[in-house]
Each structure stands twice: as C-alpha cells, then as structure tokens.
Amino acid sequence: LTWKPMQKLSLELSYLHFSSTQLINVNGTEKKNLGSEVDFVLTYPLRKYITLQAGYSVMFPTEAMTVYKGGDHTIWQDWGFITVNINPTLFKTKF
C-alpha cells in the first residue's frame, strides 16, 4: 500500500508472509508458516539524486521459525532505519 500525502512525501505499508518450501516438524505437526512481517517506510527526495528514507519493521515469527532458525518465537522482533540514498547518473548514452 503506497500513499502520497504530499507531492514529495510517500508512505509505504507492506505485509510479508514467510513460508518454507519444506515441511518443518513442530511438536509432531508438519508446518510451513515461518511468520509474517509488517514494514512502514517514508520516502522524501532531498535533491534530484538524493533521497531520505526512514522505516520501521516488525517480525512476528511462528514456532516453525524457532525450530528452523532458533531463537524464541514468543518475542517479536522490531527495528528501525534511516538512510540517505545517493544515486547520481555517472554515464548516459543513447543507442
């Protein structure tokens, strides 16, 4: 889901579902669902080739994730980030 409340500002909300290609034995039950994640990202262009991004993500693991990767599925994981992306055009050609 993307929304532009102002001309330069865009907000993005994403939902991701993680699943294994193989069945994982969780207490005698075969499961594939590893968990889900919700991401929220704000993007604001500062200049023509410079963009500021800030985001926040939350991961909700399942018991299958604990079996597969370790850790504790009862504790959600969250993190935030701020980045400055610089993407200049170094070379330009026409064919």
Side-chain angles (χ1 to χ4, degrees):
L1 176 66
T2 302
W3 179 50
K4 291 188 80 159
M6 299 186 310
Q7 183 166 342
K8 285 190 162 191
L9 178 68
S10 68
L11 307 172
E12 182 179 333
L13 182 65
S14 301
Y15 172 81
L16 297 98
H17 175 80
F18 299 98
S19 185
S20 171
T21 57
Q22 302 292 320
L23 290 171
I24 299 169
N25 187 333
V26 180
N27 300 324
T29 304
E30 301 292 324
K31 298 184 178 185
K32 287 187 174 185
N33 180 13
L34 296 174
S36 58
E37 179 178 310
V38 177
D39 299 332
F40 180 68
V41 179
L42 296 114
T43 303
Y44 185 81
L46 299 173
R47 298 274 188 257
K48 186 175 180 180
Y49 300 112
I50 303 172
T51 304
L52 176 68
Q53 278 192 324
Y56 178 73
S57 299
V58 180
M59 171 74 181
F60 304 98
T62 64
E63 287 181 89
M65 180 70 85
T66 300
V67 171
Y68 184 69
K69 296 288 282 183
D72 184 355
H73 73 279
T74 62
I75 301 172
W76 73 358
Q77 298 180 23
D78 60 333
W79 57 94
F81 65 89
I82 298 174
T83 63
V84 175
N85 303 312
I86 302 171
N87 297 312
T89 301
L90 299 177
F91 301 101
K92 195 171 192 177
T93 184
K94 291 185 179 182
F95 290 98

